[in-house]
Amino acid sequence: QVQLVESGGGLVQAGGSLRVSCAASGLTSSRYAMAWFRQTPGKEREFVAAISWSSGNTNYADSVKGRFTISRDNAKNTEYLQMNRLKPEDTAVYYCAATRVYNSDYLPRENEYAYWGQGTQVTVSS
């Protein structure tokens, strides 16, 4: 079965940096796109960033463009989200998502992700 496990969350001061990771298992022999979403209590889940299987295509929410960078290492079945210049409004539970794709450069729509991790808490203090 497919499993996504996030790690690397924590507490950081505003202006600081943090990198979260997501290790995927059960998707071997498949091409899959990956993404990050986040959610705070009382709010809907929000798209953060996505990356294609080939890493040739990426997409970011406007709120994180220029501050966050998504990347992946297919040999390690892992994706990363490097978060710089963090703001208190970035505080959320960050979720990893993945879905199989046929086209290596395809970026799925937000509602196309089939697999989800349990989430990792990121807290940015002011």
Side-chain angles (χ1 to χ4, degrees):
Q1 65 276 22
V2 177
Q3 191 173 19
L4 303 176
V5 179
E6 301 96 337
S7 61
L11 174 65
V12 63
Q13 287 189 331
S17 298
L18 200 63
R19 188 177 80 160
V20 290
S21 304
C22 172
S25 60
L27 283 166
T28 53
S29 302
S30 297
R31 299 176 181 175
Y32 52 97
M34 300 190 80
W36 290 96
F37 292 76
R38 65 187 182 187
Q39 189 169 23
T40 55
K43 292 187 177 181
E44 290 190 358
R45 188 174 58 203
E46 174 188 27
F47 169 78
V48 176
I51 187 166
S52 63
W53 167 256
S54 68
S55 297
N57 281 327
T58 57
N59 188 30
Y60 295 91
D62 288 342
S63 58
V64 307
K65 278 181 183 175
R67 299 188 298 121
F68 290 11
T69 302
I70 190 171
S71 62
R72 64 188 296 165
D73 183 339
N74 290 343
K76 296 181 179 179
N77 296 310
T78 301
E79 72 160 346
Y80 307 95
L81 185 68
Q82 177 67 44
M83 302 180 287
N84 298 328
R85 303 202 312 272
L86 281 159
K87 304 175 182 180
E89 50 264 43
D90 294 318
T91 295
V93 176
Y94 283 71
Y95 295 93
C96 170
T99 196
R100 289 185 173 90
V101 295
Y102 291 103
N103 185 322
S104 296
D105 295 320
Y106 180 65
L107 281 179
R109 292 187 296 271
E110 293 178 24
N111 62 356
E112 290 184 301
Y113 288 93
Y115 309 107
W116 295 85
Q118 296 289 338
T120 185
Q121 177 70 46
V122 172
T123 302
V124 184
S125 63
S126 57

